[in-house]
Amino acid sequence: MKKKTRKKKIIREKKGKAKAMFRAALAGERVLSNAREALDLYSRSRFGEPLEGKIYYSLVEALYLLEKKKLEIYENKKKLTREAFIERARKIEPQFWTRYCVFKDMRNRGYIVKTALKFGADFRVYDKGVKPGEEHAKWVLFPVYESSNLTWHEFAAKNRVAHSTKKKLLIAIVDDENDVTYYEIGWTRP
């Protein structure tokens, strides 16, 4: 019986080194991979979450890695284009694009960004050079599109989440050009 082998695409990077793209599968609200390259990438850059020999990616992480040509995303054995993946992600997460703009901007600035659902926030952000598990996140991050409304009650609730988790509150405002402006909010007593 012949053993099946996976074909890997080779990409030439600027420095002339070859890197293999790895395969990942869209499975519900997550993207997962059991490729060795996925485990290596997690070890180096903390993309995804390891669980039972696989790496699970949030939808925003998966798009980021797709755009960086680190992985290819498949759904039912069909390779998804960037546009097809975004279309599916927007159906799953209505605020997907706003969240993605913020995730991409923070990652491009050198921060590690992880989901923060258990904290009641969109993301938790680790300071540059800090790996999750070694130290705690510095911020909880809430992406907001510039034309959306945020009541004082909602704002106060976000601030309470940050305060109760001993993190700083970071609000990211995404404008029509997909540029992101950040506001760090602190809790002070009069």
Side-chain angles (χ1 to χ4, degrees), residues 26-92:
L26 177 61
E29 297 179 2
R30 308 275 300 200
V31 173
L32 61 100
S33 178
N34 61 356
R36 180 180 41 86
E37 295 87 353
L39 293 167
D40 292 344
L41 184 62
Y42 174 78
S43 295
R44 285 191 319 273
S45 307
R46 292 302 195 258
F47 281 104
E49 293 293 332
L51 182 64
E52 299 175 357
K54 296 177 184 170
I55 300 292
Y56 290 80
Y57 301 100
S58 67
L59 297 176
V60 292
E61 281 179 309
L63 179 57
Y64 186 80
L65 294 172
L66 179 68
E67 287 184 347
K68 295 289 185 182
K69 299 189 182 331
K70 299 286 185 188
L71 60 71
E72 296 174 316
I73 302 171
Y74 287 78
E75 181 181 47
N76 301 325
K77 298 183 182 181
K78 180 184 173 193
K79 182 179 171 184
L80 295 177
T81 64
R82 176 185 179 274
E83 293 72 25
F85 179 74
I86 291 170
E87 183 181 324
R88 283 166 179 76
R90 282 184 159 165
K91 287 179 183 174
I92 295 167

Side-chain angles (χ1 to χ4, degrees), residues 120 142 144 148-161 169 171:
F142 291 92
V144 179
S148 59
N149 295 324
L150 188 65
T151 68
W152 283 111
H153 183 2
E154 292 168 323
F155 179 76
K158 292 176 184 332
N159 206 10
R160 278 194 301 277
V161 166
L169 173 61
I171 302 285

Side-chain angles (χ1 to χ4, degrees), residues 85-132:
F85 179 74
I86 291 170
E87 183 181 324
R88 283 166 179 76
R90 282 184 159 165
K91 287 179 183 174
I92 295 167
E93 291 182 21
Q95 300 301 317
F96 173 78
W97 191 252
T98 300
R99 295 178 78 245
Y100 177 69
C101 290
V102 172
F103 178 89
K104 179 180 178 179
D105 186 68
M106 290 300 281
R107 267 299 194 163
N108 286 345
R109 291 172 186 256
Y111 294 97
I112 293 181
V113 182
K114 305 302 276 179
T115 59
L117 293 176
K118 69 180 180 180
F119 296 109
D122 286 272
F123 299 116
R124 61 192 196 274
V125 181
Y126 294 81
D127 213 351
K128 293 179 181 180
V130 173
K131 289 186 176 179

